[in-house]
Amino acid sequence: MIGRKQTRKSEEDDVVKPKGFDDFELRLGDTMRGERATMGKSLLDVQRELRIKASYIAAIENSDPSAFDTPGFIAGYVRSYARYLGMSPDEAFAAFCQESGFSVAHGMSAEASVIKASAAPARKGSAAKRDPFTAPSTPFIPSREGVFSQIEPGAIGSVLVLVALIGGIGYGGWAVLKQVQQVQFAPVEQSPVVLSDLDPLNGATRPVDAAGEGGGVSGFDAPSVEALDRLYRPQALDVPVLVARDAPISTLDPRSVGSFIPPELPQVQVAERYLDPRLQGPVPQPQVVEESAPQLRMVAVRPSWVRVSAADGTVIYEGIMESGQRYDVPATEEPPTLRAGESGAIYFVLNDDHFGPVGERGTVTSKLPLSIKAVKERFQVADLKRDRDLARMVAEAQMLEPQP
C-alpha cells in the first residue's frame, strides 16, 4: 500500500504541466523593445532624439554592459532611455544591473574609467562567443552586399548585345564612308577622247615645196599665223554658236494659226462704179445729215455743292462748283439725278439759253432729273435782271467769244 502511493506520486511529478503567460520570465530588454515598438520608433529614431548611439540602445535592451566604452555613463544612458519609454528610471536600472551583473563603481576606480586597450581582446573574445543572431551588437546596420550580388546575369547579356550592335553599326558606317570616298584608277590602252580629237600641232606646219619658196632655212617653212593661233587657242575654246530654241515658235503667225484667226468678213456687193477702173470721178462718201442732240450743261454762278447720281445710285460727279464752273451732263439711257446744296446758284444752259435757277436761295434740291425734256418742262428761261451774278457771267462769256 505504501509503495503504490509513492509510485503514483512520482509519476504525477514527472508529468509536464502547461505553463501560463505569467510562467515565462519577462526580461528588461523585452519590455523596452515592446514599449519602443508601441511608440513606433526604431533604433535610429531613438538615436536622433536622445543623442545616444544606436549601439548603446541595443546594448541596453540586450543587457550587455561590455558594449559601452565608458562604464561610468551606463547608469545615465539606462535611466534616460527608460524615461524616454515612459518607464521608471530606477527600476529599469536595477533590472539592468540584475540581469547583466553590472555594479556601479567609484568614480576614481579602474572600473569607472575608459576601457583600456588590454581589455579589448577579452571583450572581442566574449563577443565572438555570443550568438550573432540572438544578441547582435549592431542590429540597425544592414549587412553589406557584394559588388557582383547587385548585377543580374540577364543584364550582362543585354549590355553585351547592345555593345555589339553599336560596334556593328559604327563599323558599317565607316566602311561605307571609306568606300564612297575611295577613288580607283584602272589603266586603259585607249587615249582619252579629248586628246584624240584635238591635235594642237595639226596643220601647224606645211610641206616645203621643191623650190624652197618662202625664204628662211632650206627645207623649213615657217607656220602661218592662223596655225599658231590655233595652237594656243584650240577649237574647243572658241565661242560656241548659239541657236535659239524658240526659233520655230517665232516663225508662227498668230493670225493664220490658232484661236486668234480673224473671222471672215461678209462679202459685200460693190457697185460697178467701184469695180470698173474706166469710170472716172470722185467716189461719193457717206454723210450724216441728222443733227446731233443739244448738249445739256450745268453752270454755277456762286459756290454750291452738287452731286450727280446715275439711275442705279452710282455717283457720277460730286463736289463744290465754284463761280463760273461748268459741267456737261452725260447723255445716258435713263437721265441722272441732281442734288444741290445751294439751289439758287445752279442754272442749265441749253442752246445758249439759261434755264433756272434750280430753286430758291438757301434751299436744297434733291432727285432732280437731268434731261432736256425735264429741264424745259420745269424751268423757264432765266431773267438776267433778277440775278446779277448770272448777268455778269453771261456778259463775260459774250466778251470772250470771237467776233465773226
Side-chain angles (χ1 to χ4, degrees):
M1 295 294 293
I2 296 174
R4 290 181 180 179
K5 291 181 180 179
Q6 292 178 353
T7 304
R8 290 177 180 177
K9 188 175 182 180
S10 62
E11 291 177 359
E12 291 176 1
D13 295 338
D14 295 338
V15 176
V16 179
K17 297 181 180 181
K19 296 182 179 181
F21 177 75
D22 297 336
D23 294 339
F24 293 94
E25 181 181 3
L26 186 62
R27 301 178 66 85
L28 177 63
D30 299 334
T31 305
M32 289 184 171
R33 277 191 288 269
E35 294 295 335
R36 181 167 56 82
T38 303
M39 297 174 63
K41 302 291 183 179
S42 62
L43 294 177
L44 296 178
D45 295 336
V46 178
Q47 175 183 344
R48 191 181 306 108
E49 296 178 6
L50 293 182
R51 299 295 189 273
I52 301 176
K53 291 184 179 180
S55 59
Y56 292 169
I57 302 298
I60 294 173
E61 293 179 353
N62 296 329
S63 299
D64 182 14
S66 61
F68 295 91
D69 296 335
T70 306
F73 295 153
I74 294 178
Y77 290 156
V78 174
R79 286 189 174 89
S80 298
Y81 185 41
R83 194 179 298 106
Y84 174 78
L85 297 176
M87 300 171 59
S88 177
D90 297 334
E91 294 179 1
F93 180 67
F96 178 81
C97 294
Q98 183 180 359
E99 293 179 5
S100 62
F102 175 76
S103 60
V104 180
H106 189 269
M108 298 301 295
S109 62
E111 291 80 0
S113 60
V114 180
I115 299 177
K116 303 296 188 295
S118 59
R123 187 173 60 192
K124 291 182 180 178
S126 62
K129 294 179 181 180
R130 291 197 310 268
D131 189 3
F133 295 99
T134 58
S137 59
T138 55
F140 63 92
I141 299 178
S143 59
R144 295 185 178 181
E145 298 181 356
V147 178
F148 296 98
S149 62
Q150 300 179 358
I151 300 176
E152 297 182 1
I156 297 176
S158 302
V159 171
L160 294 178
V161 172
L162 181 61
V163 171
L165 181 62
I166 295 175
I169 294 176
Y171 177 76
W174 175 77
V176 171
L177 183 61
K178 183 178 180 181
Q179 185 69 21
V180 169
Q181 294 181 350
Q182 187 176 4
V183 179
Q184 297 180 357
F185 296 93
V188 294
E189 297 180 357
Q190 183 181 1
S191 60
V193 179
V194 178
L195 297 180
S196 61
D197 293 345
L198 301 178
D199 187 7
L201 299 179
N202 186 18
T205 59
R206 56 185 178 182
V208 181
D209 52 358
E213 297 178 355
V217 183
S218 177
F220 175 77
D221 189 6
S224 62
V225 177
E226 181 181 359
L228 292 176
D229 187 18
R230 179 59 59 190
L231 175 65
Y232 295 102
R233 186 177 55 83
Q235 186 178 3
L237 299 180
D238 289 345
V239 178
V241 178
L242 300 180
V243 179
R245 298 178 59 184
D246 57 347
I249 300 177
S250 62
T251 57
L252 297 178
D253 187 5
R255 294 173 296 179
S256 60
V257 179
S259 302
F260 298 96
I261 301 176
E264 296 182 359
L265 299 177
Q267 297 181 359
V268 181
Q269 298 293 336
V270 184
E272 294 182 356
R273 179 181 180 88
Y274 297 96
L275 297 178
D276 192 357
R278 294 175 298 174
L279 298 177
Q280 303 294 332
V283 179
Q285 300 293 334
Q287 297 181 358
V288 179
V289 295
E290 184 179 359
E291 296 181 358
S292 60
Q295 177 67 38
L296 180 63
R297 180 174 298 173
M298 182 173 58
V299 298
V301 296
R302 286 178 297 275
S304 176
W305 174 85
V306 296
R307 181 173 64 190
V308 180
S309 302
D312 57 353
T314 305
V315 177
I316 301 176
Y317 173 76
E318 182 178 7
I320 298 177
M321 296 183 64
E322 300 294 339
S323 177
Q325 187 175 356
R326 302 171 182 269
Y327 174 74
D328 294 337
V329 180
T332 57
E333 185 177 357
E334 295 184 5
T337 58
L338 171 66
R339 179 180 177 85
E342 173 61 22
S343 302
I346 302 300
Y347 290 86
F348 297 102
V349 178
L350 184 63
N351 296 329
D352 297 336
D353 295 332
H354 292 76
F355 293 84
V358 175
E360 299 295 333
R361 283 194 175 187
T363 59
V364 178
T365 303
S366 301
K367 298 182 179 180
L368 177 64
L370 299 179
S371 62
I372 298 176
K373 181 179 179 181
V375 169
K376 288 183 177 181
E377 291 178 355
R378 293 187 177 218
F379 306 106
Q380 297 179 358
V381 178
D383 187 3
L384 302 181
K385 298 180 179 179
R386 298 183 59 183
D387 196 338
R388 296 181 179 179
D389 296 334
L390 177 62
R392 177 176 52 79
M393 187 181 66
V394 172
E396 292 178 356
Q398 292 178 356
M399 293 177 61
L400 295 177
E401 290 181 358
Q403 298 295 332

